[in-house]
Amino acid sequence: QVQLVESGGGLVQPGGSLRLSCTASGTIFSNKAMSWYRQAPGKQRELVASVTTDGTTNYADSVKGRFTISRDNASDTAYLQMNNLKPEDTAVYYCNTKGRPTTWSTVHDYWGQGTQVTVSS
């Protein structure tokens, strides 16, 4: 069975760093990209960063220069290194990927359970 498991969230002071990880278990075919989203209270879920299988990355303007997304294709693991964290980064962070559980199935949208990141003194 396909499952995304996230870890690494927590409480950190402004200017601090956290590293989130997301491991996809089970077999996923055609998963061309893995992404990190976040959702702050009262706000719509937004795309933070994404990385394709060939290493191409994209970032939201608000995190460029501070966050780095990477992936290990062999282990189906995505990482989000977050540096110089700001209170505005406080949100629940979700890992996401799209893929097929079998080669003949339709594309599924997979989400992790979410991990809380709180940036506060």
Side-chain angles (χ1 to χ4, degrees):
Q1 302 295 327
V2 176
Q3 185 178 24
L4 300 182
V5 179
E6 300 157 317
S7 63
L11 174 64
V12 65
Q13 294 184 345
S17 299
L18 286 173
R19 187 191 187 211
L20 307 183
S21 64
C22 170
T23 299
S25 62
T27 301
I28 303 178
F29 296 93
S30 302
N31 57 324
K32 298 181 179 180
M34 297 188 73
S35 304
W36 286 97
Y37 288 75
R38 69 185 181 187
Q39 188 167 23
K43 294 186 177 180
Q44 187 177 359
R45 186 173 299 185
E46 64 175 344
L47 177 65
V48 178
S50 64
V51 57
T52 62
T53 53
D54 65 358
T56 301
T57 58
N58 286 283
Y59 298 93
D61 289 340
S62 60
V63 306
K64 286 181 179 178
R66 300 188 297 119
F67 291 10
T68 302
I69 188 171
S70 61
R71 69 182 295 170
D72 184 329
N73 292 330
S75 62
D76 287 331
T77 301
Y79 303 93
L80 185 67
Q81 179 67 46
M82 305 184 294
N83 297 326
N84 192 24
L85 284 161
K86 304 176 180 179
E88 306 93 272
D89 297 318
T90 296
V92 178
Y93 285 71
Y94 298 90
C95 180
N96 169 266
T97 190
K98 292 179 173 61
R100 304 175 187 272
T102 64
T103 57
W104 61 86
S105 65
T106 58
V107 174
H108 289 196
D109 197 11
Y110 300 100
W111 292 92
Q113 80 285 357
T115 184
Q116 177 70 48
V117 173
T118 302
V119 185
S120 175
S121 298

